Amino acid sequence: MIKQFIAQDFCLKCLGCCRFREPDSCWSPRFLKEEAGELASRNLLNKEQASSDKVPLRLGSEVDKNFLCLFLNPSSNRCQIYSSRPFECQLYPFLINRKGEKIILSVDLNCPFVKERRSTLEFREYAAYLSELLNSPHYQKLLLDNPQIVQKYDGVLELSQLGIIL
Ligand code: SF4
């Protein structure tokens, strides 16, 4: 499990995550190759859902017209599979961003926690930790095996180039 930058109680009060404006948004998480199968083996995904690399979404309520992750409980704002949520969810608001041939660790500035703290030492130290982690042999292999989680995100803050070519 990746060390987290954002305190959980802050996330629980924010209605930004796990909701997407479009069903095929690049912001909705992709599963690593083994993740969907693991959730299906616990009957948390059906066969059809497990055959996709995208976390399944459902339409929100009349009030919340977004597409919500199937695993989000909108009443409590909690992820129902938090301890085994996908790698991309553990990483967010940090993202693996493709820019031409370069793969860049980036962060979503729409996250209010990041917006407040992006100039702090705490933020710089966390970004350095994540960069070192993602450049380790284990995570380099994970990225090579799972190019579906490397996407082109617009309007993000670029932090550091990762030493990998996909
Ligand atoms: S799996 Fe959990 S953390 Fe990831 S998008 Fe769904 S509700 Fe959010």
Side-chain angles (χ1 to χ4, degrees):
M1 193 67 70
I2 297 173
K3 195 166 80 181
Q4 299 293 289
F5 179 60
I6 304 175
Q8 201 182 1
D9 57 343
F10 188 99
C11 285
L12 289 173
K13 289 183 205 136
C14 172
L15 298 180
C17 285
C18 316
R19 299 160 170 82
F20 311 95
R21 286 203 193 115
E22 293 132 25
D24 55 354
S25 163
C26 71
W27 297 92
S28 69
R30 297 317 199 250
F31 290 122
L32 300 184
K33 276 180 187 159
E34 67 278 12
E35 286 175 334
E38 279 167 20
L39 292 169
S41 72
R42 293 162 53 200
N43 295 325
L44 293 167
L45 291 178
N46 65 32
K47 225 173 176 183
E48 192 192 331
Q49 291 163 338
S51 67
S52 168
D53 66 5
K54 293 181 190 168
V55 168
L57 305 179
R58 66 182 193 282
L59 198 52
S61 65
E62 278 298 301
V63 185
D64 187 349
K65 293 194 185 298
N66 287 306
F67 290 86
L68 311 185
C69 173
L70 186 70
F71 298 115
L72 177 70
N73 178 338
S75 320
S76 62
N77 203 29
R78 285 180 183 270
C79 171
Q80 297 175 98
I81 56 162
Y82 186 76
S83 60
S84 50
R85 68 199 186 285
F87 173 76
E88 270 214 284
C89 301
Q90 295 174 42
L91 204 57
Y92 188 81
F94 295 85
L95 305 150
I96 315 283
N97 185 20
R98 181 189 290 279
K99 195 174 182 191
E101 299 227 315
K102 295 179 185 166
I103 307 299
I104 315 237
L105 173 63
S106 302
V107 67
D108 184 3
L109 291 177
N110 289 310
C111 168
F113 194 88
V114 166
K115 215 185 248 174
E116 272 176 22
R117 289 166 177 79
R118 60 183 278 199
S119 308
T120 64
L121 177 63
E122 176 197 15
F123 178 80
R124 287 196 296 280
E125 284 179 348
Y126 184 83
Y129 151 78
L130 210 49
S131 178
E132 192 180 335
L133 188 81
L134 294 170
N135 276 313
S136 69
H138 172 80
Y139 284 99
Q140 293 272 295
K141 182 170 182 329
L142 183 147
L143 294 178
L144 279 171
D145 290 347
N146 293 281
Q148 72 278 10
I149 68 165
V150 181
Q151 299 193 66
K152 189 177 173 307
Y153 299 97
D154 292 324
V156 293
L157 175 67
E158 295 176 5
L159 299 171
S160 61
Q161 184 175 346
L162 300 179
I164 190 169
I165 296 174
L166 292 171

